[in-house]
Amino acid sequence: MTISREDVEYVAALARLELTEPEINEYTEQLNSILGYAAMLERLDTDNVVPTAHAVPLHNVMRGDQVGISLNHEKALKNAPDGEEGFFRVPRISLT
Amino acid sequence: MMIGQSVSELHERLVRKDVSSVELTKAYIDRIHSVDPTLKAYLTVIEDQAISQAAEVDRKIANNDGLSALEGIPMALKDNLCTEGIRTSCASKMLENFIPPYNATVTDRLRGAGTILLGKVNMDEFAMGSSTENSYFGKTRNPWDLGRVPGGSSGGAAVAVAADEAAFALGSDTGGSVRQPAAFCGVVGLKPTYGAVSRYGLIAFASSLDQIGPLTKTVRDNALVLNAIAGYDPRDSTSVAYDKPDYTKFLVNDIKGLKIGIPREYYGAGIDPDVAKGIQTGIQTLIDLGAEVSECSLPHTEYAIPAYYLIATAEASSNLARYDGVRYGLRAEAEDVLGMFKKTRAEGFGQEVKRRIMLGTYALSSGYYDAYYLKAQKVRTLIKQDFDKAFETFDVLLSPTAPTTAFKFGEKSADPLTMYLSDITTVPINLAGIPAISVPAGFVKGMPIGMQLMGKAFDEGTLYRVAYTFEQNTQYHTLKPSLSGEVLASVSR
Amino acid sequence: MSVADKYEMVCGLEVHVELQTKTKIFCGCTTEFGGDQNTHVCPVCLGMPGALPVLNREVVNYAIKAGLALESEIAEFSKFDRKNYFYPDLSKNYQTSQFDLPICIGGRLEIEVDGEKKWIGITRAHMEEDAGKLVHSGETISTSNESSVDYNRAGVPLLEIVSEPDLSSIPEVLAYLEKLVQILEYIEVSDCRLEQGSIRFDVNVSLRPLGTETLGTRTETKNLNSYSSVRRCMEFEIARQARKLKAGEKVVQETRTWDEGQGITLSLRSKEEAHDYRYFPEPDLPPLVIDREWMERIRKTLPELPTVRRARLQALGLPAYDAAVITQAREMADFFDEALTYYGDAKTLANWVMGDVTRLLNTNQCSVLNSPISAKQLAELLELINKGTLSGKIAKSVLEEMYSTSKDASAIVKEKGLAQISDEGALHGIIDTVISANPQSVEDYKAGKDKAIGFLVGQIMKATRGQANPGLVNQLLKEKLA
């Protein structure tokens, strides 16, 4: 499988990364090299293998429905690049 | 000289009132001032707070209130462990000014144990790397050879301990990030069983692989620190409510009859023959001490690297999506939100982080999920089964921690794949979720090498037993890098 | 509508319901509505680095309960997944949801339109977290130069209920929504407050030529929050798609948004990119295993569902209309059922509940839950009528007194001396006096003027200040005049 420039641009768009031309070229080459290496996985027959998503098998880890401590305004917004009147502010949201 | 001693020795001295915690803390701060301009292990040092905390402990000592094992001991935290009110940067431009309004669970627990936080130490950005060269704030030097890397991603933590800039440190290990720098710097480093130590407040790289572990001068110190940080935490759903033992109980100088397996796949291409020889000497020591050693096989080992990099980057691509310039961290100005997201992430992340986000996003994207991510998860099952099978026969498995000793700056950073391949001895452990420890096992051309011991899930005790016995019968851990003032001055110029 | 001549509509719905837990799905922040912006937030729901989710058990309980009420299969094994997409109201830029293994599988719900009953299939229901709220500086999202984000809602638990494309008219869609809301309120998993955004609808609409089977290309209009916008949006979409099809154009498969002001739908984004959500299992949350015991424990908490309840009341002799009115809301039905345990005449009870009791509650804008008259008290009042202690007319005024004082009917009757005079001995004398005082009326009655007896009864009632038992008075008077 080969990863094209277009693939890299598509992935960059999904990941919200603005890439420069040299970066696009570099990542195209490197992703091809790394995923080319990863192609060795195809050699393994895994049809009847159950995937492992968690290293330690746990289930039903839950908490009670009890109200805990929330952050106050100051703490919640302390790290905000643009916080005003208790809101996090963002520039215009375009629909596309 | 009071610094440079082990945690247990320092504890004795505090109890004897030989030294006060304030004196001890000041001594470490002086040491940081003298060597860190060259080594650059620390990103943040918090002198005043450290000294006032130490003064509290001293009041306790004065009242003869009794002193627990870690009380008054100065230490450092990797900069991906959240500290309330203290910058936690993940060595990234993205979080250059991020001050968490909360503590990680381990931060709370060490605070509760009475330790003194000296500061936050360097790492590869978002823990992605094996050399600490990927830090936005610059590289950290290996105290054994200032021209070489300290390993990574917990390079700052390993250097701080090796160069006596902290009595111990906590790092995080996603694919070897505690063990490999411990090996490169000649200290003890443990990656606990997944779920043994809470991840709450550890800034996530790959959630199903990340685990926090101690870097220490001795095996005993390591067990003491694990005692303080391990155990169930209701804030981490993947933390396990297991029956936590007192790990120091396993520190016995006896391994007679213990079965140790040597997985042959860990000695494949890329292993430095001198490193292999050094480990062979270590194995002989263990045999002489009564261990039953034989070769074994973990047949899917070679698949661990691709499986690891697909799983780790996929999870990372999602974990790092939150850095978008809205709630915290860097923001780049743009006319609309989409532009702001893209620019912020382009400017805030370094090359390696971006590369891994790209790889992980690709592995999860429509049409490739089954071929890459799902496949990798299935291979993860096979790797786990390899270990399960080996542990039917063996109590522990043994290998070199890393294929080589610390490499020179820039030596491997040019080609990411080469760098990834050097993780072959450490990543299978994270995929399987089992514990592993790296202990100093000799030197090759003046550089330390580490011996890795792997154990069954939640059987850190047996790892400590073997590691302790090995340590008690060798001298490697007593050797220190010679950092004379003149040498330091000449390099920093 | 001319559209109906050539095309038929196929519609499926995704309904997002807020579950009425005290705290959010993955953290201890309150779900309370309102509150200053960004005050019901913590490191977890703000998506701060290092914070981790812990599942609220009550969310799972409610999801199981809803699944049982909708006749779903409760999955023995289910898990959470991350749905990855960037939006400023999404604090982690992924939504923790359930993808391929949801908690509720299948199910169905019966609707009735114009007397015709129809089962609507339910595909699945899954748990997920809500996003925050965006406030725009301009009038609409597209004309605003900047927006503000409030994460109070981020992490509020939602159940997304997905229907099969079984709905073929707007009335069916509205009937489905009303029925669904009724059930969810009944089983107390959601208060379904539309005005607070606690229930929202995504509408999938497609058209196909009448008589054909293949589904046409559909559009999905997201985030509608009232029945009227659902209706208007569907009317618009049906007309828009029909126009396209008639003109020989293709309907584009896409997500659209409803512009309430203009009354139109607008294209939101192309489906290609929107669909690449890169779902993968949530590594921070272990899976759920729901065994039979857990499920049965929840099943025991399920109340009788409205359809079953309605049938039971009809079987007791209530007309269909009465049974429907009483079971419309669970609280009223509970009140009725409780009263029924003390007073066996269902029809009389229904008349009082639907009539005077409802009127008093409505006038005072009071919920039946807070009714000053208990079900038992109402039953006692009706029993007093049965015994002849009270006339129906006086009982109404006693009911009003009960409403304002919360006293028992018998206490009020005693206090005010309202008991009917049913003692024949006491009445004889009064009746005799009235007869002798009104010879003309007696004459008239005997001459066949039946009306005259009414006057005489009136005089007797007046003399007893209305407390005589009118039936008994009538009987005794007729005997005396015979």
Side-chain angles (χ1 to χ4, degrees):
Chain A
M1 175 180 313
T2 342
I3 293 127
S4 66
R5 250 187 91 84
E6 288 70 38
D7 291 337
V8 168
E9 284 171 344
Y10 170 75
V11 169
L14 276 181
R16 301 291 187 266
L17 284 172
E18 188 175 81
L19 297 185
T20 60
E21 277 299 306
E23 278 177 325
I24 294 172
N25 293 331
E26 189 187 321
Y27 289 146
T28 307
E29 193 189 311
Q30 289 172 345
L31 289 195
N32 270 305
S33 145
I34 296 163
L35 290 166
Y37 181 74
M40 72 155 77
L41 295 181
E42 289 165 26
R43 296 206 302 261
L44 284 174
D45 177 5
T46 53
D47 284 354
N48 298 313
V49 179
V50 180
T52 296
H54 298 273
V56 174
L58 290 173
H59 63 267
N60 297 358
V61 179
M62 292 170 285
R63 62 178 179 87
D65 188 20
Q66 275 116 30
V67 178
I69 301 163
S70 295
L71 292 174
N72 60 31
H73 255 153
E74 197 207 326
K75 280 190 168 183
L77 281 117
K78 189 167 188 254
N79 286 284
D82 184 3
E84 235 175 84
E85 293 161 9
F87 283 107
F88 295 92
R89 305 233 283 194
V90 294
R92 183 164 56 84
I93 297 170
S94 44
L95 288 177
T96 42
Chain B
M1 191 160 102
M2 61 186 98
I3 59 163
Q5 292 186 305
S6 70
V7 171
S8 31
E9 287 164 335
L10 294 174
H11 173 70
E12 288 306 313
R13 296 186 60 174
L14 286 170
V15 170
R16 286 202 310 268
K17 298 183 187 173
D18 217 21
V19 64
S20 73
S21 180
V22 169
E23 286 167 338
L24 192 58
T25 303
K26 282 183 172 161
Y28 274 101
I29 290 169
D30 287 347
R31 173 70 173 175
I32 293 168
H33 284 316
S34 108
V35 303
D36 214 55
T38 304
L39 297 176
K40 295 194 164 66
Y42 279 85
L43 295 177
T44 307
V45 180
I46 45 162
E47 297 184 23
D48 296 349
Q49 222 173 305
I51 289 167
S52 71
Q53 267 185 48
E56 264 176 55
V57 173
D58 283 338
R59 272 193 292 278
K60 245 190 116 175
I61 299 173
N63 292 338
N64 287 319
D65 280 351
L67 216 53
S68 63
L70 299 181
E71 239 163 348
I73 306 291
M75 57 88 190
L77 296 175
K78 187 175 179 179
D79 211 20
N80 59 353
L81 297 168
C82 285
T83 42
E84 184 176 350
I86 300 162
R87 182 182 76 156
T88 302
S89 74
C90 256
S92 178
K93 185 180 179 187
M94 188 64 92
L95 293 177
E96 191 173 1
N97 300 307
F98 176 64
I99 297 171
Y102 48 93
N103 274 332
T105 295
V106 290
T107 310
D108 275 341
R109 289 194 177 170
L110 286 181
R111 182 82 208 263
T115 64
I116 312 299
L117 177 63
L118 295 169
K120 307 296 292 287
V121 285
N122 204 9
M123 55 186 281
D124 285 299
E125 184 183 2
F126 283 101
M128 296 177 183
S130 318
S131 65
T132 314
E133 289 170 288
N134 297 331
S135 166
Y136 171 68
F137 301 105
K139 55 197 179 192
T140 298
R141 293 175 195 274
N142 191 314
W144 294 92
D145 178 346
L146 300 172
R148 289 176 188 267
V149 303
S153 65
S154 311
V159 171
V161 176
D164 300 332
E165 296 182 83
F168 74 89
L170 290 189
S172 68
D173 189 316
T174 306
S177 284
V178 162
R179 291 160 286 159
Q180 184 253 27
F184 280 11
C185 295
V187 299
V188 179
L190 174 82
K191 196 248 16 142
T193 309
Y194 186 85
V197 179
S198 168
R199 294 184 295 116
Y200 189 88
L202 160 65
I203 299 183
F205 160 14
S207 315
S208 79
L209 302 162
D210 294 343
Q211 194 61 195
I212 298 163
L215 292 106
T216 56
K217 287 184 172 301
T218 66
V219 176
R220 177 176 296 279
D221 287 3
N222 211 280
L224 288 170
V225 178
L226 189 65
N227 272 348
I229 62 170
Y232 175 68
D233 176 15
R235 291 192 295 179
D236 173 3
S237 306
T238 62
S239 127
V240 178
Y242 71 105
D243 200 4
K244 189 180 91 174
D246 172 1
Y247 290 105
T248 58
K249 293 253 188 309
F250 296 93
L251 304 174
V252 290
N253 188 351
D254 171 27
I255 52 163
K256 271 185 214 71
L258 224 71
K259 293 190 176 66
I260 299 176
I262 313 293
R264 72 174 74 93
E265 291 81 4
Y266 284 52
Y267 292 82
I271 194 130
D272 181 327
D274 289 334
V275 170
K277 224 165 93 189
I279 296 302
Q280 196 49 52
T281 309
I283 292 171
Q284 192 52 52
T285 305
L286 294 173
I287 293 171
D288 295 344
L289 291 165
E292 293 172 20
V293 179
S294 55
E295 203 179 86
C296 71
S297 173
L298 297 168
H300 295 95
T301 301
E302 68 169 319
Y303 301 102
I305 294 272
Y308 169 80
Y309 275 95
L310 290 169
I311 291 170
T313 59
E315 291 181 8
S317 73
S318 175
N319 283 332
L320 272 62
R322 67 189 63 193
Y323 306 105
D324 62 5
V326 177
R327 293 159 300 279
Y328 43 76
L330 182 79
R331 171 184 291 194
E333 295 306 322
E335 277 196 4
D336 64 4
V337 135
L338 183 65
M340 190 271 277
F341 282 179
K342 287 183 168 180
K343 279 208 172 67
T344 297
R345 294 166 62 77
E347 287 175 23
F349 293 137
Q351 288 302 309
E352 182 61 25
V353 173
K354 283 192 239 182
R355 178 159 40 242
R356 295 199 193 192
I357 290 174
M358 290 291 290
L359 181 58
T361 305
Y362 185 82
L364 289 175
S365 69
S366 172
Y368 301 107
Y369 179 85
D370 286 4
Y372 291 119
Y373 188 74
L374 187 65
K375 184 83 183 183
Q377 281 200 329
K378 289 179 166 189
V379 172
R380 184 173 187 180
T381 305
L382 297 175
I383 287 163
K384 237 179 146 208
Q385 287 169 353
D386 281 357
F387 280 108
D388 289 345
K389 195 146 177 277
F391 285 125
E392 284 172 14
T393 312
F394 299 101
D395 298 302
V396 297
L397 304 179
L398 186 155
S399 78
T401 305
T404 65
T405 55
F407 43 87
K408 293 191 172 119
F409 287 110
E411 192 180 322
K412 291 195 185 173
S413 54
D415 176 27
L417 184 57
T418 312
M419 187 77 112
Y420 298 170
L421 292 177
S422 67
D423 295 338
I424 185 66
T425 48
T426 48
V427 297
I429 284 88
N430 297 75
L431 288 170
I434 60 172
I437 193 167
S438 177
V439 285
F443 293 85
V444 169
K445 299 191 185 85
M447 294 307 291
I449 59 172
M451 180 169 82
Q452 174 175 252
L453 300 163
M454 302 158 249
K456 297 169 195 166
F458 297 104
D459 191 19
E460 279 81 356
T462 306
L463 294 185
Y464 280 141
R465 181 178 158 194
V466 180
Y468 181 77
T469 305
F470 183 76
E471 183 187 72
Q472 293 305 302
N473 291 278
T474 54
Q475 296 301 313
Y476 311 122
H477 67 286
T478 61
L479 299 176
K480 284 175 178 296
S482 55
L483 284 170
S484 70
E486 299 78 55
V487 171
L488 289 170
S490 70
V491 175
S492 60
R493 262 201 297 274
Chain C
M1 211 180 350
S2 63
V3 178
D5 303 340
K6 282 185 72 178
Y7 299 103
E8 101 179 301
M9 182 207 67
V10 179
C11 172
L13 292 172
E14 286 159 31
V15 179
H16 304 256
V17 195
E18 179 181 333
L19 298 172
Q20 58 188 40
T21 53
K22 289 200 260 314
T23 64
K24 294 184 178 182
I25 182 167
F26 299 126
C27 64
C29 289
T30 176
T31 54
E32 215 170 275
F33 184 74
D36 279 353
Q37 59 274 18
N38 294 306
T39 51
H40 301 167
V41 292
C42 73
V44 177
C45 56
L46 280 179
M48 295 197 105
L52 294 171
V54 184
L55 178 61
N56 182 343
R57 180 183 287 109
E58 202 66 354
V59 172
V60 185
N61 287 338
Y62 285 156
I64 295 172
K65 202 170 176 184
L68 291 173
L70 297 171
E71 299 182 37
S72 300
E73 177 197 330
I74 306 302
E76 203 183 312
F77 182 92
S78 73
K79 66 179 172 75
F80 284 94
D81 301 274
R82 291 187 186 176
K83 180 180 182 179
N84 294 286
Y85 67 97
F86 283 82
Y87 212 68
D89 64 4
L90 199 57
S91 57
K92 304 177 298 265
N93 284 318
Y94 61 80
Q95 181 192 30
T96 304
S97 180
Q98 297 192 286
F99 180 48
D100 54 340
L101 297 172
I103 185 161
C104 304
I105 308 152
R108 59 177 195 165
L109 184 153
E110 194 181 35
I111 60 165
E112 192 176 323
V113 175
D114 296 333
E116 296 234 2
K117 289 185 175 175
K118 181 176 176 182
W119 285 101
I120 305 301
I122 286 167
T123 316
R124 58 181 279 167
H126 66 257
M127 301 172 280
E128 62 183 27
E129 58 181 336
D130 204 351
K133 196 175 133 202
L134 286 166
V135 183
H136 307 295
S137 61
E139 288 196 350
T140 66
I141 187 168
S142 42
T143 58
S144 297
N145 274 327
E146 58 174 24
S147 299
S148 301
V149 201
D150 171 10
Y151 292 102
N152 280 356
R153 281 200 69 87
V156 164
L158 301 178
L159 188 69
E160 178 174 336
I161 302 162
V162 183
S163 85
E164 291 287 302
D166 288 347
L167 297 153
S168 44
S169 71
I170 294 175
E172 280 186 13
V173 167
L174 296 175
Y176 170 82
L177 293 179
E178 279 165 17
K179 190 62 187 280
L180 187 63
V181 164
Q182 187 194 25
I183 290 176
L184 296 169
E185 283 179 340
Y186 237 81
I187 63 173
E188 294 176 317
V189 301
S190 175
D191 53 21
C192 295
R193 294 211 183 107
L194 273 82
E195 72 285 0
Q196 293 183 2
S198 70
I199 179 161
R200 301 192 299 274
F201 318 103
D202 297 348
V203 183
N204 292 294
V205 174
S206 68
L207 296 185
R208 64 182 170 200
L210 263 182
T212 56
E213 285 296 314
T214 334
L215 291 173
T217 307
R218 70 188 160 91
T219 60
E220 178 181 21
T221 308
K222 281 192 174 293
N223 259 324
L224 299 159
N225 55 16
S226 72
Y227 295 152
S228 78
S229 2
V230 169
R231 184 179 47 75
R232 292 171 63 211
C233 158
M234 290 186 69
E235 282 166 1
F236 178 86
E237 249 330 270
I238 292 167
R240 188 186 70 85
Q241 291 187 19
R243 230 178 10 252
K244 288 225 164 208
L245 294 175
K246 273 187 195 159
E249 290 171 43
K250 279 193 173 153
V251 172
V252 183
Q253 178 168 346
E254 61 183 355
T255 304
R256 300 179 71 84
T257 181
W258 171 246
D259 186 319
E260 185 75 42
Q262 298 187 69
I264 57 169
T265 65
L266 294 163
S267 176
L268 200 54
R269 56 201 169 194
S270 85
K271 207 73 186 170
E272 284 74 16
E273 198 200 338
H275 251 182
D276 206 340
Y277 288 131
R278 289 158 285 136
Y279 281 102
F280 73 102
E282 169 58 273
D284 289 330
L285 293 169
L288 278 175
V289 176
I290 299 167
D291 58 14
R292 182 152 285 278
E293 192 199 321
W294 187 354
M295 206 170 76
E296 291 309 319
R297 203 164 63 237
I298 301 297
R299 197 192 294 281
K300 285 200 188 101
T301 68
L302 267 188
E304 190 180 24
L305 294 176
T307 315
V308 179
R309 204 161 195 174
R310 205 168 120 181
R312 177 169 57 77
L313 295 193
Q314 280 186 252
L316 288 174
L318 288 196
Y321 175 79
D322 291 17
V325 170
I326 286 168
T327 56
Q328 178 59 38
R330 178 173 170 192
E331 301 78 41
M332 186 54 89
D334 284 347
F335 183 85
F336 181 85
D337 273 340
E338 197 194 334
L340 200 60
T341 61
Y342 302 107
Y343 183 81
D345 178 357
K347 178 61 188 148
T348 304
L349 182 62
N351 289 344
W352 278 82
V353 167
M354 290 161 64
D356 290 86
V357 173
T358 301
R359 182 180 52 77
L360 280 169
L361 291 171
N362 288 350
T363 314
N364 294 289
Q365 288 179 318
C366 177
S367 152
V368 67
L369 281 178
N370 307 319
S371 169
I373 304 172
S374 72
K376 191 176 179 181
Q377 286 176 315
L378 175 66
E380 193 214 4
L381 176 72
L382 301 188
E383 204 54 59
L384 289 177
I385 301 174
N386 265 17
K387 281 191 207 150
T389 312
L390 284 178
S391 68
K393 199 175 158 210
I394 290 189
K396 283 179 196 276
S397 62
V398 171
L399 186 78
E400 302 214 2
E401 185 73 18
M402 287 165 75
Y403 191 93
S404 49
T405 63
S406 278
K407 286 181 184 164
D408 286 349
S410 50
I412 294 169
V413 166
K414 201 169 166 194
E415 226 169 75
K416 306 215 160 177
L418 294 174
Q420 291 187 132
I421 301 171
S422 301
D423 172 3
E424 287 191 30
L427 286 175
H428 278 303
I430 300 167
I431 294 171
D432 290 344
T433 315
V434 170
I435 287 175
S436 52
N438 296 281
Q440 185 57 49
S441 300
V442 174
E443 276 304 297
D444 290 350
Y445 175 74
K446 287 185 172 164
K449 290 188 183 168
D450 282 352
K451 266 206 302 198
I453 200 158
F455 175 78
L456 292 170
V457 170
Q459 291 302 304
I460 296 162
M461 294 308 282
K462 199 172 161 191
T464 60
R465 297 200 320 277
Q467 279 169 272
N469 180 334
L472 190 60
V473 168
N474 245 307
Q475 185 202 323
L476 293 176
L477 190 60
K478 279 181 184 163
E479 279 169 18
K480 283 180 192 284
L481 296 176

